[in-house]
C-alpha cells in the first residue's frame, strides 16, 4: 500500500486545486481510479443555507517579471505562488505598488505561504521572505495572472457502499488546496484506500458514505442536499485530514462528546499500544464544524496525526513530500479500518439464559478436562460477554469492562450467537 499511496501522491501533487474549478475535477478523476465516485456539480449562485456558491475559478498561468526581466513567483514552478482565486491582471507597477500584493512569512524566511481570497475579488502573489528581500526597489514590475472567474459550478465526489442496513458510517475529506501534502493530499488518499479495504469485506452491516469536497463551502453545499438524510441514518462519521506525517494519533471528539464515533475511535486508541491524545470538540478546525453545527449535531469526529495549526509547515510550501511518512499514512488507513471492524462487530446483545451461567460443556464450548495451563481466554471472554449482555451495554462497553479490545471478543460472540446464547437487541 505504501508504494501505491506514494505513486498517487506524485500524480496529484502538481495539480492546483481550489474550492471550484478544473483542478478539483482533475483530482477527483484520478481518485476515481481507486474509489468509484459520483460527481456532483452545484451551480454558482445557488443559496446553501447562509452561503452562496461562488463563481468558478480556473487558472492558466501567473508570474511577475522584475525590472531586470527575471520571471519570479512563477505559478508553473510552485502553484502556491499565486493567491488562490486571484482575478486576472496584466499590469506594470512600481515595487511599492507591487509590495501591497505580496504575501510572505517573515519568521519562516524560506517558506511560501498559502493565501486565499475566495469571497473578495483581488489578486496577489506569495513569496518567501528571503526572495522578497532580494527584489530591486527601483524600476517597473509586470504582474500577470491568467485566470477566469465566472459562473460555473462547485464540484464534489461521493461514493455510497451499501450494507445490509441503512444505518451509515460517514467519511469526509477535502480536495480544495493546491500543492500541500499533509494538509491536503493525505486525507483524500487515506480515505480512498480505506474504501478499498472496506469494499473487500465479505459482509457489511453498515452502509458507508465517502465524500470528497471543497472545505467549508463544499461541506455546506453537501449538507444542504443530504444533511437531513444523514441526520436520520448516520451512526458515526469522521473527517480525514492531516493523516500522513510522522506524528502520533490525535483524536478530536464530536460535539456530542460521547457518540459512537468517539467511543469507537477512543477504544481503538486505548488498545493500540502507541502514544495518543484525545481532545474535546472545538469549532476551529475542518468540516467537522459544519457536520457538528447545532442544527445537525452529527456524530462526526476526526482521527488525525499532527493536527492542523500544530506543525510549523502548515499552510506553507514546506508542507511537501519530504514532510510525509508513507508508512504512517498506510498505518492510518489500517487504523481507520480497525475502527470499522470494531463498529461492524459492535452490537447490543441480550443474554438468552439470564438465570445463572449456561452449561457450556453440552454445547461443546468447554474443554472436556482441565489441566494446568489450559487456555482460559476464550471461556473468560465468553462468560464475561454473557454476563454483561443485559440489553443495556453494547460490546464496546463490555470489552472496556474486561480491559481488552472489542476485536478479541469476536470468536466468543460468534460462538454465543451460533449456540443461541446471545441475540441482538432490536
Amino acid at each position: 500500500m505504501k508504494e501505491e499511496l506514494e505513486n498517487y501522491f506524485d500524480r496529484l501533487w502538481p495539480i492546483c486545486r481550489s474550492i471550484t474549478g478544473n483542478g478539483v475535477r482533475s483530482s477527483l478523476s484520478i481518485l476515481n481510479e481507486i474509489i468509484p465516485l459520483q460527481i456532483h456539480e452545484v451551480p454558482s449562485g445557488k443559496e446553501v443555507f447562509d452561503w452562496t456558491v461562488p463563481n468558478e475559478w480556473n487558472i492558466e498561468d501567473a508570474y511577475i517579471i522584475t525590472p531586470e526581466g527575471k520571471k519570479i513567483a512563477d505559478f508553473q514552478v510552485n502553484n502556491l505562488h499565486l493567491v488562490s482565486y486571484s482575478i486576472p491582471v496584466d499590469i506594470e507597477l512600481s515595487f511599492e505598488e507591487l509590495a501591497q500584493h505580496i504575501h510572505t512569512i517573515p519568521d519562516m524566511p524560506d517558506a511560501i505561504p498559502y493565501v486565499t481570497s475566495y469571497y473578495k475579488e483581488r489578486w496577489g502573489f506569495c513569496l518567501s521572505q528571503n526572495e522578497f528581500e532580494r527584489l530591486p526597489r527601483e524600476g517597473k514590475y509586470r504582474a500577470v495572472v491568467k485566470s477566469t472567474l465566472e459562473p460555473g459550478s462547485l464540484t464534489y465526489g461521493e461514493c455510497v457502499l451499501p450494507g445490509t442496513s441503512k444505518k451509515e458510517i460517514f467519511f469526509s475529506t477535502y480536495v480544495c488546496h493546491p500543492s500541500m501534502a499533509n494538509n491536503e493530499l493525505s486525507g483524500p488518499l487515506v480515505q480512498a484506500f480505506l474504501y478499498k479495504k472496506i469494499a473487500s469485506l465479505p459482509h457489511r452491516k453498515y452502509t458507508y458514505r465517502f465524500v470528497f469536497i471543497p472545505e467549508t463551502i463544499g461541506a455546506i453545499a453537501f449538507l444542504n442536499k443530504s444533511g437531513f438524510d444523514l441526520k436520520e441514518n448516520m451512526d458515526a462519521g469522521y473527517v480525514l485530514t492531516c493523516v500522513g506525517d510522522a506524528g502520533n494519533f490525535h483524536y478530536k471528539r464530536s460535539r456530542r462528546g460521547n457518540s459512537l464515533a468517539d467511543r469507537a475511535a477512543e477504544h481503538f486508541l486505548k488498545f493500540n499500544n502507541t502514544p495518543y491524545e484525545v481532545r474535546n470538540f472545538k469549532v476551529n478546525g475542518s468540516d467537522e464544524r459544519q457536520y457538528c453545527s447545532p442544527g445537525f449535531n452529527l456524530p462526526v469526529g476526526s482521527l488525525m496525526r499532527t493536527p492542523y495549526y500544530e506543525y510549523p509547515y502548515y499552510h506553507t510550501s514546506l508542507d511537501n513530500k519530504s514532510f510525509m511518512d508513507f508508512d504512517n499514512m498506510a498505518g492510518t488507513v489500517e487504523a481507520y479500518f480497525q475502527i470499522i471492524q470494531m463498529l461492524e462487530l459492535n452490537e447490543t446483545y441480550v443474554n438468552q439464559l439470564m438465570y445463572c451461567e449456561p452449561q457450556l460443556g453440552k454445547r461443546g464450548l468447554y474443554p472436556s478436562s482441565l489441566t494446568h495451563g489450559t487456555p482460559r481466554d476464550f471461556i473468560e471472554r465468553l462468560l464475561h460477554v454473557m454476563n454483561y449482555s443485559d440489553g443495556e451495554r453494547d460490546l464496546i462497553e463490555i470489552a472496556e469492562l474486561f480491559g481488552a479490545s472489542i476485536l478479541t471478543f469476536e470468536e466468543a460472540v460468534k460462538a454465543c450467537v451460533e449456540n443461541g446464547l446471545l441475540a441482538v437487541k432490536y
Side-chain angles (χ1 to χ4, degrees):
M1 184 191 301
K2 172 188 173 183
E3 291 75 16
E4 283 187 283
L5 284 165
E6 186 170 2
N7 288 338
Y8 275 102
F9 177 96
D10 291 340
R11 291 174 61 190
L12 289 162
W13 175 255
I15 299 173
C16 183
R17 289 163 289 271
S18 189
I19 58 172
T20 64
N22 292 326
V24 176
R25 297 186 186 101
S26 297
S27 299
L28 292 176
S29 178
I30 292 173
L31 290 166
N32 191 60
E33 298 172 14
I34 313 168
I35 174 172
L37 294 172
Q38 180 183 2
I39 302 303
H40 300 271
E41 300 283 355
V42 185
S44 302
K46 181 175 176 60
E47 300 294 327
V48 287
F49 298 116
D50 197 41
W51 293 62
T52 304
V53 175
N55 282 339
E56 180 177 326
W57 182 74
N58 285 292
I59 176 67
E60 177 186 345
D61 202 3
Y63 53 84
I64 297 170
I65 303 296
T66 69
E68 301 98 330
K70 181 181 177 182
K71 181 183 283 190
I72 64 167
D74 189 347
F75 172 83
Q76 303 298 336
V77 174
N78 191 317
N79 52 39
L80 289 180
H81 276 308
L82 182 65
V83 171
S84 186
Y85 254 68
S86 286
I87 60 174
V89 295
D90 188 344
I91 57 172
E92 288 193 344
L93 64 177
S94 67
F95 172 80
E96 288 76 16
E97 293 169 321
L98 176 66
Q100 298 176 34
H101 297 271
I102 299 291
H103 303 268
T104 68
I105 310 175
D107 58 353
M108 296 180 67
D110 295 320
I112 303 167
Y114 167 56
V115 181
T116 68
S117 184
Y118 299 138
Y119 300 103
K120 184 174 182 179
E121 292 192 2
R122 66 180 83 184
W123 62 273
F125 288 89
C126 299
L127 296 173
S128 71
Q129 182 67 24
N130 285 336
E131 184 172 19
F132 177 74
E133 290 176 354
R134 291 194 297 267
L135 294 180
R137 269 47 178 173
E138 302 297 329
K140 286 291 185 181
Y141 287 81
R142 181 185 174 203
V144 177
V145 178
K146 297 180 181 180
S147 66
T148 58
L149 184 60
E150 55 194 17
S153 61
L154 175 152
T155 310
Y156 70 89
E158 181 178 22
C159 174
V160 178
L161 186 61
T164 58
S165 167
K166 290 184 178 180
K167 288 296 182 181
E168 292 191 5
I169 307 297
F170 174 72
F171 296 100
S172 176
T173 191
Y174 48 77
V175 285
C176 58
H177 295 70
S179 295
M180 285 177 285
N182 198 40
N183 181 48
E184 170 65 8
L185 290 181
S186 68
L189 286 171
V190 167
Q191 183 162 295
F193 277 83
L194 176 62
Y195 161 84
K196 289 182 66 175
K197 291 188 72 70
I198 298 174
S200 70
L201 290 173
H203 304 286
R204 290 183 300 272
K205 174 177 68 178
Y206 281 107
T207 291
Y208 292 87
R209 188 180 301 271
F210 305 80
V211 295
F212 297 76
I213 53 180
E215 197 172 22
T216 305
I217 183 63
I220 293 169
F222 167 72
L223 286 169
N224 187 72
K225 176 178 183 292
S226 303
F228 294 101
D229 290 334
L230 287 180
K231 191 171 181 178
E232 181 177 347
N233 294 318
M234 188 194 299
D235 268 10
Y238 300 96
V239 170
L240 278 70
T241 179
C242 299
V243 287
D245 67 295
N248 296 326
F249 282 121
H250 292 71
Y251 181 68
K252 179 180 179 180
R253 289 172 172 150
S254 70
R255 182 177 179 270
R256 299 183 188 182
N258 193 36
S259 68
L260 181 58
D262 304 325
R263 294 174 58 237
E266 292 177 48
H267 184 78
F268 161 76
L269 292 170
K270 184 174 182 179
F271 298 104
N272 189 46
N273 298 318
T274 57
Y276 68 92
E277 184 177 336
V278 175
R279 300 176 179 183
N280 289 326
F281 174 79
K282 289 186 177 179
V283 174
N284 66 318
S286 187
D287 285 324
E288 66 274 3
R289 68 185 190 269
Q290 311 307 331
Y291 303 127
C292 295
S293 58
F296 288 112
N297 196 24
L298 297 170
V300 176
S302 183
L303 180 66
M304 299 170 272
R305 293 290 184 170
T306 307
Y308 30 73
Y309 306 120
E310 296 186 21
Y311 58 96
Y313 304 153
Y314 177 69
H315 274 193
T316 78
S317 59
L318 301 182
D319 183 358
N320 54 37
K321 187 177 180 180
S322 65
F323 183 55
M324 289 294 89
D325 184 321
F326 289 98
D327 283 321
N328 251 22
M329 195 184 295
T332 309
V333 177
E334 294 295 336
Y336 268 107
F337 185 60
Q338 278 198 40
I339 293 171
I340 290 308
Q341 291 175 299
M342 292 172 175
L343 289 167
E344 286 285 333
L345 181 59
N346 189 53
E347 291 284 3
T348 300
Y349 289 98
V350 178
N351 186 337
Q352 300 300 288
L353 297 173
M354 286 287 195
Y355 300 99
C356 301
E357 67 184 50
Q359 217 287 343
L360 300 180
K362 67 182 182 182
R363 296 175 172 86
L365 299 176
Y366 202 84
S368 58
S369 63
L370 290 177
T371 61
H372 180 71
T374 299
R376 295 190 58 85
D377 284 355
F378 171 78
I379 297 169
E380 288 179 358
R381 281 171 168 76
L382 188 151
L383 292 175
H384 177 81
V385 76
M386 286 284 295
N387 187 280
Y388 279 102
S389 291
D390 53 8
E392 300 299 323
R393 298 176 173 89
D394 65 10
L395 194 55
I396 289 176
E397 182 179 353
I398 292 171
E400 292 269 351
L401 290 168
F402 191 85
S405 168
I406 184 178
L407 297 179
T408 67
F409 282 83
E410 184 170 10
E411 184 181 353
V413 169
K414 181 180 178 183
C416 287
V417 172
E418 289 177 348
N419 283 274
L421 300 174
L422 289 180
V424 175
K425 179 183 178 181
Y426 291 103

Coordinates of all heavy atoms in Angstrom, one line a residue, residues 21 23 46 52 78 90 121 124 152 168 180 184 259 282 310 325 335 349 388 401 412 421 426:
G21 N -13.5 24.6 -9.8 CA -12.6 24.6 -10.9 C -12.1 23.3 -11.4 O -12.3 22.2 -10.8
G23 N -9.1 22.0 -11.4 CA -8.2 21.3 -10.5 C -8.9 20.3 -9.7 O -8.4 19.2 -9.4
K46 N -26.1 29.4 -6.3 CA -27.1 28.7 -5.5 C -26.9 29.0 -4.0 O -25.8 29.0 -3.5 CB -26.9 27.1 -5.7 CG -27.9 26.3 -4.9 CD -27.8 24.8 -5.2 CE -28.7 24.0 -4.4 NZ -30.2 24.4 -4.6
T52 N -23.6 31.4 -0.4 CA -23.9 31.3 -1.8 C -22.7 30.7 -2.5 O -21.5 31.1 -2.3 CB -24.1 32.7 -2.4 OG1 -25.2 33.3 -1.7 CG2 -24.5 32.7 -3.8
N78 N 5.7 26.7 -8.7 CA 5.0 26.3 -7.4 C 3.7 27.1 -7.4 O 3.6 28.3 -7.4 CB 5.8 26.7 -6.2 CG 5.3 26.1 -4.9 OD1 4.1 26.2 -4.7 ND2 6.2 25.6 -4.1
D90 N -2.9 42.1 -15.8 CA -1.7 42.2 -16.6 C -1.3 43.7 -16.6 O -1.7 44.5 -17.4 CB -1.9 41.7 -18.0 CG -0.6 41.6 -18.8 OD1 0.4 42.2 -18.4 OD2 -0.5 40.9 -19.9
E121 N -13.0 39.9 -4.5 CA -12.2 39.9 -5.7 C -10.9 40.7 -5.5 O -11.0 42.0 -5.3 CB -13.0 40.4 -6.9 CG -14.1 39.5 -7.3 CD -14.8 39.9 -8.6 OE1 -14.3 40.8 -9.3 OE2 -15.7 39.2 -9.0
G124 N -3.0 38.6 -6.0 CA -1.8 38.7 -5.1 C -0.9 37.5 -5.4 O -1.3 36.5 -6.0
G152 N -20.2 29.1 -13.0 CA -19.8 27.7 -13.3 C -20.5 26.8 -12.3 O -21.7 26.9 -12.0
E168 N -25.6 4.4 8.6 CA -24.4 4.7 7.8 C -23.2 5.0 8.7 O -23.4 5.6 9.8 CB -24.7 5.9 6.9 CG -25.6 5.7 5.8 CD -25.6 6.9 4.8 OE1 -24.8 7.8 5.0 OE2 -26.4 6.8 3.9
M180 N 0.0 21.1 -1.3 CA 0.4 20.8 0.1 C 0.1 19.4 0.4 O -0.8 18.8 -0.1 CB -0.3 21.8 1.1 CG 0.2 23.2 1.0 SD -0.7 24.3 2.0 CE -2.2 24.5 1.1
E184 N -3.4 18.6 2.6 CA -4.3 18.4 1.5 C -4.4 16.9 1.1 O -5.5 16.3 1.1 CB -3.9 19.3 0.3 CG -4.6 19.0 -1.0 CD -6.1 19.3 -0.9 OE1 -6.6 19.9 0.1 OE2 -6.8 18.9 -1.9
S259 N -20.3 10.2 21.4 CA -21.0 9.5 20.3 C -20.4 8.1 20.0 O -19.3 7.8 20.5 CB -21.0 10.3 19.1 OG -19.7 10.4 18.5
K282 N -13.9 21.5 19.4 CA -13.8 22.9 19.3 C -14.3 23.3 17.9 O -14.1 22.6 16.9 CB -12.4 23.4 19.5 CG -12.0 23.3 21.0 CD -10.6 23.9 21.2 CE -10.2 23.9 22.7 NZ -8.8 24.5 22.9
E310 N -0.7 22.9 14.2 CA 0.3 22.5 15.2 C 1.6 22.0 14.7 O 2.5 21.6 15.4 CB -0.4 21.4 16.1 CG -1.5 22.0 16.9 CD -2.1 21.0 17.9 OE1 -1.4 20.1 18.3 OE2 -3.3 21.2 18.3
D325 N 5.2 10.8 5.7 CA 5.7 9.4 6.1 C 4.7 8.4 5.6 O 3.6 8.3 6.1 CB 5.8 9.4 7.7 CG 6.3 8.0 8.2 OD1 6.0 7.0 7.6 OD2 7.1 8.1 9.2
A335 N -5.6 2.0 10.8 CA -6.2 2.4 12.0 C -7.7 2.6 11.8 O -8.5 2.2 12.5 CB -5.5 3.7 12.5
Y349 N -26.3 -6.8 22.8 CA -26.8 -8.2 22.9 C -27.7 -8.4 24.1 O -27.5 -7.7 25.1 CB -25.7 -9.2 22.9 CG -25.0 -9.3 21.5 CD1 -23.8 -8.7 21.3 CD2 -25.5 -10.1 20.5 CE1 -23.1 -8.8 20.1 CE2 -24.9 -10.2 19.3 CZ -23.7 -9.5 19.1 OH -23.0 -9.6 17.9
Y388 N -22.6 -9.6 31.0 CA -22.9 -8.2 30.8 C -23.9 -7.9 29.7 O -24.2 -6.7 29.5 CB -21.6 -7.4 30.6 CG -20.8 -7.1 31.9 CD1 -19.7 -7.9 32.2 CD2 -21.3 -6.1 32.7 CE1 -19.1 -7.6 33.4 CE2 -20.6 -5.8 33.9 CZ -19.5 -6.6 34.3 OH -18.8 -6.3 35.4
L401 N -14.9 -3.0 30.0 CA -15.0 -3.5 31.4 C -14.1 -4.7 31.6 O -13.5 -4.9 32.7 CB -16.4 -3.9 31.7 CG -17.5 -2.8 31.8 CD1 -18.9 -3.4 31.8 CD2 -17.2 -2.0 33.1
A412 N -15.7 -15.4 20.7 CA -16.6 -15.7 21.8 C -18.1 -15.3 21.4 O -19.0 -16.0 21.7 CB -16.2 -15.0 23.1
L421 N -27.1 -18.4 22.6 CA -26.9 -17.8 23.9 C -27.1 -16.3 23.9 O -27.4 -15.7 25.0 CB -25.6 -18.2 24.5 CG -25.3 -19.7 24.6 CD1 -23.9 -20.0 25.0 CD2 -26.3 -20.4 25.6
Y426 N -33.2 -5.5 19.4 CA -33.8 -4.7 18.4 C -34.7 -3.7 19.0 O -35.3 -4.0 20.1 CB -34.5 -5.6 17.4 CG -33.6 -6.4 16.5 CD1 -33.4 -7.8 16.8 CD2 -32.8 -5.8 15.5 CE1 -32.5 -8.5 16.0 CE2 -31.9 -6.6 14.7 CZ -31.8 -8.0 15.0 OH -30.9 -8.7 14.2

